[in-house]
Amino acid sequence: MRHTITVLVENEFGVLSRVAGLFSGRGFNIDSLSVAPTNEESISRMTIVTRGDEQILEQITKHLNKLIDVIKVIDFTDGSAIEREIALIKVTAEDADRAEVLRIVDIFRANVIDVTPKSYTIEATGSPSKIDAILELLRPLGLKELVRTGPVAIGRGPKGWKN
Amino acid sequence: MKLAGARILLECLKLEGVDTVFGYPGGTVINIYDELYSFPEIRHILPRHEQAAVHAADGFARASGKVGVAIATSGPGATNTVTGIATAYMDSIPLVVITGQVPTALIGNDAFQEVDIIGITRPCTKHNFLVKNVKELAGIVKKAFYIARTGRPGPVLIDLPKDVQVAVAEFKYPEKVDIRSYRPTVEGHSRQIEKAAAMLLAAKKPVIYVGGGVILGNAAEELRQLAETLHAPVTTTLMGLGSFPEDSPLSLGLLGMHGTYYANMAVTNCDLLVAVGARFDDRVTGKIPAFAPHAKIIHLDVDPTSIRKNVRVDLPIVGAVQDVLAKLLKILEAHRDGVEAFTSGVQPWLDEIDAWKEKHPLFYKESTQVIKPQAVIRKLRELCEPDAIIATDVGQHQMWTAQFFTFTKPRTLLTSGGLGTMGYGLPAAMGAQAAFPERQVIAICGDGGFQMNLQELATLVQSQLPVKICIMNNNYLGMVRQWQELFFDKRYSQTVLDLPIDFVKLAEAFGATGFTVKKPSEVEETIRQGLATPGPVIMEFKIAREEKVLPMVPAGASLNEMVLAS
């Protein structure tokens, strides 16, 4: 099962290696990982998408908690978090296809951020499944290059992670 | 007052109560060594290899319960510590290892004797620190000792660049540590403990399965009370030996791959398994689906990741084992009727276990022709002091020691359980002897493992550490040979150590004393003489070459499928 885990860590030297090394050393999967500082300068926040059964997920969260630099681990089970991801997509766009690309961009509320006579570069934001959907439609037109950030996630409701 | 980093480091060690360090000088720690002159209260012991320095610090820690400290220089000095660090990590031994590093400006430049020891040791330390600013040094040392000894203990490495040792800062050692991201659970959850008491009292066939956590967590007394209150049988892992007196009728000895017949049968047939400070290692469980198949499992451990890692657990309790066992005892005290009913109900189970003990006790065929290693171990137990500290290497002699020595006190067996590090025994004994100059410390080694760190004979003689070394010499890498005999058609590929080494001359070359013995009739006299001889001593026993460690559960088989001695 796919899980999105948020890990709040001390913004210290080497902390990304500790987390990545834990996953590789123990044979856990990482589908995606994104990391950046938070509103508190000393804390960074990672969003990790991983897969595994219940027992593996329990081990992943326990081992993350065991790392000295990890302040908090939140496993967002389905529906408890909002996830967003950005994709930058360079797609072939010539002749009649140019209008078709723009229609798809419009439907997905994406933006064209670079234009040439032969291509569009598109910025799309949304849940990972929305990104998958726009890619599905653009792929037949000729995807030249794709970069995705991997999702970031935040819990629903009024509470912050601290309470 | 402003002090240089090297000086600050030693001031911190002094304030942590460190009285012994094991280390090896080099270019990037020369400043620390120069400052050592100002610290007569810190005894520095100079092993002949950095690996041995860390094993010695580890032996010191296991025997004394204090944090062991080792120092090594950058590059090769640092990489040489890795086996020692990994050994301590697998067995949860509190160490602080200090490595020198090239100046911060050169880090990443492939400088002379530069290695990324932080990266290398990340997966085998509990935590590690690169000190980039001398102002952080005192706080980091404080944290390192705190992390090493609290929660599930483990080794912590501090990498200290040369320029940081030279730079000066105001010295103030923090009085308290507070790490917001590190707050190990000490107190067990009361409701879980109450449930555990109820499960215990409802059991008819309980077994208490004890690991090294009881020794590291100083809970041997609570464990003994629990077992005796309930009349519950106790089996221990290799790391747990000494946590429960093996001369007690409730003791089942070692379980697992080379465990006793009765321990493995008891675990296979029990209806409740109480795991205390143990981690269900594969050498203990054998085939998982067949491990304690009829039992409910209670698991007490300070480390939540140990719980449900390998086996299903019906009742987990996270906390320091001493705290949890003390609370459990208090609850049982309040249920005297329940305890009485339990102890009479458990009698048929104890009878069943006694029948197993009678049917297949630990056994070896005695001989008047060749020296049986098991007989040497038993004789050694008989003749050594009751509180002697035993360190072993890894292999057959280690298992014979575990089976036949009869450990009765915590911290009297030092052995590499998790990593299985050959070459551990001699330096670990050295560390224990440094911690306890007045006690008898005995290293039991094979001829293979002894040769991995035999250079430490020099350290023993130079530092006047009168370790007694027993070499069980079969001219084989015996444990691998045993597997080759059983599973590879006796094809002894590269396990024959065929060079006849003169261990007596070897001992004498270092200024120690050596004895060698071939005949069973001379074993007792040699041990007497060896133990009575002042200073470091080698006793070489030329043992039955193809003696096997039995019982044995083949890898991947279930615990009740043992090959027994006949």
Side-chain angles (χ1 to χ4, degrees):
Chain A
M1 199 177 138
R2 179 184 178 277
H3 281 250
T4 306
I5 299 172
T6 283
V7 190
L8 290 131
V9 297
E10 295 288 352
N11 195 1
E12 295 225 11
F13 168 84
V15 66
L16 179 60
S17 307
R18 290 185 204 281
V19 171
L22 165 63
F23 276 76
S24 61
R26 298 210 173 252
F28 303 141
N29 286 303
I30 299 183
D31 283 2
S32 74
L33 185 157
S34 73
V35 54
T38 65
N39 52 322
E40 285 179 57
E41 203 184 321
S42 64
I43 297 178
S44 283
R45 180 163 175 149
M46 296 182 184
T47 308
I48 300 172
V49 177
T50 181
R51 275 168 295 126
D53 60 20
E54 198 190 329
Q55 191 245 346
I56 289 176
L57 255 293
E58 183 181 324
Q59 282 295 314
I60 290 175
T61 50
K62 281 174 167 179
H63 275 288
L64 283 168
N65 270 309
K66 191 170 160 181
L67 293 177
I68 306 288
D69 286 334
V70 169
I71 299 165
K72 192 173 171 74
V73 179
I74 311 164
D75 178 8
F76 287 119
T77 46
D78 274 348
S80 68
I82 304 158
E83 293 183 27
R84 287 295 179 267
E85 179 175 11
I86 294 177
L88 304 181
I89 310 156
K90 195 173 285 183
V91 62
T92 311
E94 289 176 272
D95 309 329
D97 283 351
R98 292 183 75 83
E100 174 63 10
V101 171
L102 290 180
R103 266 195 297 275
I104 294 169
V105 166
D106 196 34
I107 292 165
F108 281 87
R109 296 195 191 101
N111 298 310
V112 174
I113 54 172
D114 188 43
V115 189
T116 72
K118 293 181 172 178
S119 72
Y120 284 128
T121 301
I122 298 159
E123 169 199 352
T125 307
S127 66
S129 58
K130 178 179 162 184
I131 306 290
D132 290 343
I134 191 172
L135 290 173
E136 208 50 44
L137 291 172
L138 291 173
R139 187 162 286 124
L141 302 169
L143 276 187
K144 291 162 92 73
E145 195 176 341
L146 167 69
V147 53
R148 299 175 70 155
T149 57
V152 291
I154 196 161
R156 289 181 189 275
K159 287 183 183 166
W161 65 269
K162 280 189 178 168
N163 41 36
Chain B
M1 197 175 52
K2 290 201 168 182
L3 300 177
R7 177 73 185 239
I8 289 175
L9 173 72
L10 291 169
E11 293 285 354
C12 293
L13 295 186
K14 188 172 127 185
L15 289 170
E16 280 294 329
V18 173
D19 53 16
T20 311
V21 300
F22 303 87
Y24 207 95
T28 60
V29 288
I30 200 162
N31 296 69
I32 299 170
Y33 276 87
D34 193 61
E35 288 288 354
L36 255 184
Y37 281 119
S38 312
F39 292 83
E41 56 275 84
I42 298 177
R43 181 183 189 195
H44 183 276
I45 291 174
L46 178 70
R48 296 309 195 257
H49 191 292
E50 290 90 348
Q51 182 193 347
V54 181
H55 287 327
D58 168 312
F60 178 93
R62 289 187 206 228
S64 68
K66 298 185 208 164
V67 178
V69 179
I71 300 175
T73 194
S74 63
T79 52
N80 276 346
T81 66
V82 172
T83 301
I85 293 171
T87 303
Y89 184 64
M90 287 290 270
D91 290 344
S92 312
I93 305 305
L95 296 185
V96 170
V97 178
I98 297 147
T99 48
Q101 181 56 279
V102 301
T104 42
L106 288 182
I107 290 178
N109 280 17
D110 301 326
F112 177 64
Q113 292 195 329
E114 180 189 358
V115 76
D116 174 17
I117 197 64
I118 292 290
I120 289 172
T121 59
R122 206 173 276 130
C124 63
T125 50
K126 184 168 171 186
H127 197 58
N128 57 21
F129 296 94
L130 170 64
V131 189
K132 284 181 158 173
N133 186 329
V134 68
K135 288 180 191 151
E136 298 168 354
L137 178 56
I140 284 176
V141 176
K142 181 83 183 175
K143 279 185 192 170
F145 275 87
Y146 175 71
I147 291 170
R149 69 169 168 256
T150 53
R152 178 175 178 175
V156 177
L157 181 135
I158 302 174
D159 199 24
L160 193 53
K162 190 172 165 83
D163 56 322
V164 178
Q165 299 170 33
V166 175
V168 294
E170 200 63 47
F171 174 61
K172 190 171 174 289
Y173 201 52
E175 277 169 27
K176 274 196 293 190
V177 194
D178 182 40
I179 307 172
R180 64 176 164 181
S181 55
Y182 175 68
R183 302 235 163 87
T185 308
V186 174
E187 289 186 28
H189 195 284
S190 329
R191 199 161 315 147
Q192 293 290 88
I193 299 172
E194 275 167 33
K195 277 190 207 161
M199 280 170 76
L200 260 170
L201 293 179
K204 295 272 176 283
K205 298 178 167 190
V207 169
I208 304 176
Y209 146 54
V210 177
V214 169
I215 294 171
L216 296 167
N218 299 315
E221 179 52 29
E222 287 79 3
L223 169 71
R224 191 190 55 77
Q225 283 181 34
L226 179 71
E228 287 177 1
T229 307
L230 292 172
H231 298 192
V234 176
T235 179
T236 67
T237 67
L238 180 64
M239 294 302 299
L241 285 173
S243 62
F244 188 74
E246 288 197 282
D247 50 5
S248 158
L250 291 171
S251 170
L252 303 174
L254 190 72
L255 85 160
M257 181 173 273
H258 293 296
T260 63
Y261 174 76
Y262 35 96
N264 287 342
M265 290 304 282
V267 169
T268 304
N269 290 284
C270 69
D271 67 354
L272 179 71
L273 188 73
V274 186
V276 189
R279 58 185 178 87
F280 295 88
D281 177 73
D282 55 275
R283 286 296 193 261
V284 161
T285 60
K287 190 163 79 188
I288 298 259
F291 179 74
H294 316 296
K296 288 215 153 88
I297 296 178
I298 300 175
H299 192 176
L300 282 58
D301 207 290
V302 75
D303 178 5
T305 66
S306 289
I307 293 172
R308 276 201 279 260
K309 183 175 63 177
N310 301 337
V311 299
R312 71 196 155 78
V313 169
D314 298 281
L315 184 74
I317 305 176
V318 177
V321 288
Q322 190 185 41
D323 176 81
V324 175
L325 290 179
K327 284 179 181 157
L328 188 57
L329 282 168
K330 211 167 264 177
I331 295 170
L332 292 175
E333 251 169 55
H335 286 75
R336 209 151 287 172
D337 295 351
V339 171
E340 245 166 65
F342 176 87
T343 51
S344 56
V346 82
Q347 196 53 49
W349 172 234
L350 295 179
D351 294 342
E352 204 176 336
I353 288 173
D354 282 341
W356 286 323
K357 281 187 176 176
E358 214 157 291
K359 190 173 165 199
H360 292 296
L362 275 177
F363 174 80
Y364 66 93
K365 209 178 262 172
E366 292 184 33
S367 168
T368 51
Q369 304 304 309
V370 283
I371 297 176
K372 288 300 185 106
Q374 302 94 330
V376 177
I377 303 287
R378 283 211 163 141
K379 195 46 90 182
L380 193 62
R381 160 87 286 187
E382 198 185 305
L383 298 176
C384 75
E385 288 166 12
D387 69 343
I389 297 168
I390 307 298
T392 78
D393 249 285
V394 170
Q396 287 187 310
H397 70 279
Q398 177 191 33
M399 291 298 116
W400 287 318
T401 304
Q403 292 177 330
F404 288 93
F405 190 81
T406 317
F407 289 92
T408 56
K409 292 185 174 69
R411 302 191 184 279
T412 53
L413 172 63
L414 322 176
T415 194
S416 169
L419 197 67
T421 309
M422 283 174 69
Y424 171 81
L426 174 54
M430 187 164 93
Q433 188 78 77
F436 296 102
E438 304 303 324
R439 276 169 74 179
Q440 205 170 50
V441 179
I442 301 169
I444 302 177
C445 302
D447 50 316
F450 175 75
Q451 290 180 62
M452 283 199 178
N453 266 321
L454 66 78
Q455 78 283 350
E456 297 311 318
L457 285 171
T459 316
L460 294 183
V461 174
Q462 182 181 332
S463 296
Q464 299 180 322
L465 300 166
V467 171
K468 312 301 176 205
I469 303 158
C470 298
I471 301 175
M472 302 291 167
N473 187 1
N474 53 12
N475 291 105
Y476 276 129
L477 298 176
M479 188 58 97
V480 183
R481 187 211 62 78
Q482 175 169 335
W483 283 51
Q484 289 169 331
E485 177 187 332
L486 295 172
F487 313 120
F488 290 87
D489 216 8
K490 298 196 176 183
R491 288 151 62 86
Y492 298 152
S493 178
Q494 298 298 317
T495 48
V496 189
L497 303 180
D498 235 355
L499 181 75
I501 295 170
D502 187 333
F503 285 106
V504 175
K505 275 192 187 152
L506 181 81
E508 286 166 358
F510 282 94
T513 311
F515 297 90
T516 182
V517 53
K518 252 187 253 181
K519 291 187 196 152
S521 57
E522 293 165 0
V523 166
E524 177 164 348
E525 186 47 34
T526 304
I527 295 176
R528 276 185 199 283
Q529 271 192 333
L531 293 181
T533 304
V537 173
I538 288 180
M539 290 168 257
E540 180 206 14
F541 301 92
K542 293 185 189 288
I543 61 167
R545 288 199 71 197
E546 303 208 344
E547 187 73 9
K548 286 195 287 291
V549 178
L550 295 171
M552 176 175 188
V553 178
S558 50
L559 283 192
N560 57 350
E561 295 170 352
M562 285 164 273
V563 181
L564 294 164
S566 55

